[in-house]
Amino acid sequence: MYVRRKVNKSGSTSVQIVDKAGGFYRVVCSLGTGREEWELVRLEARGRQYIKEHSHPELPFFEPSIDDRIKELLSSLHNSQVQVIGPEAVYGRLYDEIGYNAIRNEMFRHLVICRLFNPGSKLKTIDYLSRYLGRHYSTDQVYRFLDNLCYKDGRRSSGPDIKSRVEEISFAKTKRECGDRIEVVFYDMTTLYFEAADEDDLRKCGFSKDGKHSNPQIFLGLLVATGGNPIGYEIYEGNIFEGHTLIDFIKKMSDKFGFDKPIVVADAGLLSKRNIAGLKAEGYEFILGARPKNDSETVKEAILSLNLKDGEVRVIERGDGTRMVVSKTDRRTVKDRKTRERGLSRLEKRLGSGRLTKANINNKGYNQYLAMEGDVKISIDYDKFRADAAWDGIKGYVTNTGLSNEDVISRYSDLWRIERAFRMNKTDLQVRPIFHRLKNRIEGHICICFTAYTIMLELERLLKAKKSDITLARAQEITKNMYQLTYTLPQSGLTKTALLKMDDEQRELYDIVTYHPE
């Protein structure tokens, strides 16, 4: 008996066990069909095992040497038997440890892990999974999956869809990191643009933080806890005013997870009378970035009369149950001055080119320095520019908390973590531009990126705990060159797998992820 391959009309290949008796060939059994080399190799291994079990043993005249066995093994190896194992060994392990393995969906797992080490379009992801990991998905399969990731049959699922499970698991992880109590939350929004020209109910043109004002976009609201640990997210229409989302978002997250009333920290873009009144009505304490130059004349005069020096912190009562903590530093003064001067330089260039018109005279950015001379001539108000120097270096924080002034500033300074979360999603995970058009798929795409971000944050935490020099970007590259070999023993026909020997850097990363205290 022996094993043979037979090519079928359909393009697949059958693997059969054939016996010759009395001058005739007989198919003993068909082991199956396959299209990929690695499938055929495995079927052939099964066939050799079958032959061994059903044949009479023959005693060889001599035992083959070890070298001969090694040569036989090496000669049977194919490229398809070598797989990239790093992403699963590193990111997959963290995926399981965080608890996402409770989501029993293999495709979701692979899309999340691929987003971490090989971010790109879904077509690029499909190709990579097939070529290097032996996971074969069609484009239609992936799109159907995205359609139902947050929805079922086109409707929001009444049961726990994958998005809900992701947020539950992520929040549980965040609670563990925060000592089981959420004391402070940080909220911010960003825009995600689309490579398309058409709008719909969700994708709208609006003010773009990515500078893509002509592209349809959506707003992504994100809530994180101390350390940047994620709590949840929401998607809004691209033309919404971000200041109107804060109360709605906080209430949704609070109702969903049942956490107490943490201190809410947000930047100046969310400072408004409406938000302050809403937060008070809901019983929240808050710290919001202030805009001292845009406050009432009484408050502005009080701030300037302080004549703050480097490092000084003072308080201005605003008369509505809140206070403004005001600080000044020389470092911020230098930065603000340079920023104003750059803005003035751009304005002077535009004025010299003749591109400024009456419509440009407004309070947006550095257009505030423009003025009209007569009915037709536009000029720059240099007196106003010089007067603004009095505000250089001044930073304000509106709060109703009982925290000390220093603690208010310290809490607010942690807002950089949520800004960094957006930056990591936009650069490392390439969350945008988004090429999907349907709302279901857009939400599915963002859910995958949100999950990947949580895993990336956990990897960063472990690397810092071990004081490793490996960066997140370097870890991404390292995982691409960690391999596993699937081979079949020539004599026994048994199929086994083995990790190929790692270099020092790969071993360090693998050990950090694999062996660490709970």
Side-chain angles (χ1 to χ4, degrees), residues 241-248 269-281 286 288:
F241 173 55
E242 63 177 308
H244 294 168
T245 64
L246 176 62
I247 307 301
D248 171 70
L270 296 164
L271 176 68
S272 67
K273 292 181 179 179
R274 171 178 172 171
N275 282 339
I276 289 175
L279 288 168
K280 286 181 180 177
F286 54 84
L288 302 177

Side-chain angles (χ1 to χ4, degrees), residues 173 206 258 275 342 398 488:
K173 166 68 174 172
N275 282 339
R342 281 197 300 269
V398 174
T488 303

Side-chain angles (χ1 to χ4, degrees), residues 31-100:
L31 298 167
T33 61
R35 293 180 180 271
E36 301 291 337
E37 180 65 24
W38 65 270
E39 295 176 302
L40 301 177
V41 169
R42 289 189 177 183
L43 291 172
E44 288 174 334
R46 284 174 50 193
R48 286 193 292 271
Q49 181 67 22
Y50 178 91
I51 293 171
K52 181 179 178 181
E53 293 173 355
H54 293 81
S55 300
H56 297 293
E58 296 181 4
L59 296 176
F61 290 106
F62 57 88
E63 188 73 19
S65 69
I66 294 177
D67 286 346
D68 290 336
R69 292 178 184 176
I70 293 174
K71 288 179 181 178
E72 183 180 357
L73 175 61
L74 293 176
S75 65
S76 67
L77 296 179
H78 299 270
N79 286 330
S80 60
Q81 293 171 258
V82 179
Q83 292 181 323
V84 176
I85 195 63
E88 183 61 40
V90 175
Y91 299 121
R93 187 175 185 87
L94 296 178
Y95 182 99
D96 294 339
E97 286 192 359
I98 291 171
Y100 293 128

Side-chain angles (χ1 to χ4, degrees), residues 470-482:
I470 299 174
T471 64
L472 289 175
R474 182 58 186 155
Q476 186 184 64
E477 291 302 315
I478 291 172
T479 60
K480 294 178 181 179
N481 298 305
M482 296 167 65

Side-chain angles (χ1 to χ4, degrees), residues 320-332:
D320 59 354
T322 67
R323 71 185 194 275
M324 183 187 295
V325 178
V326 185
S327 69
K328 183 174 182 177
T329 64
D330 287 346
R331 182 178 179 181
R332 193 184 300 127

Side-chain angles (χ1 to χ4, degrees), residues 163-362:
K163 178 183 184 292
S164 300
R165 294 289 293 121
V166 163
E167 287 189 319
E168 289 170 5
I169 294 166
S170 301
F171 180 70
K173 166 68 174 172
T174 294
K175 282 189 70 176
R176 293 196 297 272
E177 293 297 322
C178 295
D180 211 40
R181 179 175 171 79
I182 308 296
E183 296 182 347
V184 183
V185 295
F186 303 86
Y187 176 66
D188 202 358
M189 298 190 76
T190 192
T191 53
L192 303 175
Y193 67 90
F194 294 78
E195 289 291 351
D198 55 322
E199 299 181 77
D200 52 37
D201 292 340
L202 178 63
R203 301 178 303 156
K204 300 280 188 181
C205 289
F207 174 73
S208 173
K209 297 185 178 184
D210 296 315
K212 301 284 186 177
H213 302 290
S214 61
N215 294 67
Q217 65 180 19
I218 59 174
F219 268 100
L220 174 65
L222 180 64
L223 192 70
V224 305
T226 304
N229 294 288
I231 294 175
Y233 68 93
E234 280 293 328
I235 298 171
Y236 296 91
E237 296 83 1
N239 62 349
I240 196 171
F241 173 55
E242 63 177 308
H244 294 168
T245 64
L246 176 62
I247 307 301
D248 171 70
F249 186 91
I250 296 294
K251 287 177 66 176
K252 275 185 180 180
M253 292 297 109
S254 180
D255 293 343
K256 182 180 293 187
F257 300 117
F259 49 73
D260 294 330
K261 303 286 185 179
I263 297 173
V264 178
V265 182
D267 70 9
L270 296 164
L271 176 68
S272 67
K273 292 181 179 179
R274 171 178 172 171
N275 282 339
I276 289 175
L279 288 168
K280 286 181 180 177
E282 294 295 328
Y284 284 98
E285 292 187 330
F286 54 84
I287 302 171
L288 302 177
R291 288 176 173 150
K293 280 172 52 179
N294 297 341
D295 217 301
S296 67
E297 289 300 323
T298 302
V299 172
K300 286 161 62 176
E301 289 176 7
I303 294 172
L304 292 179
S305 68
L306 294 174
N307 292 317
L308 294 172
K309 306 299 181 185
D310 180 39
E312 282 191 323
V313 179
R314 303 287 287 276
V315 173
I316 303 292
E317 296 296 334
R318 300 177 76 243
D320 59 354
T322 67
R323 71 185 194 275
M324 183 187 295
V325 178
V326 185
S327 69
K328 183 174 182 177
T329 64
D330 287 346
R331 182 178 179 181
R332 193 184 300 127
T333 300
V334 172
K335 179 182 177 183
D336 290 348
R337 186 184 70 247
K338 288 182 177 179
T339 301
R340 279 191 311 108
E341 289 172 349
R342 281 197 300 269
L344 178 65
S345 177
R346 287 196 296 268
L347 209 58
E348 289 173 333
K349 287 180 181 178
R350 292 174 64 197
L351 185 63
S353 68
R355 287 181 295 171
L356 293 177
T357 66
K358 216 171 159 181
N360 295 110
I361 300 178
N362 52 53

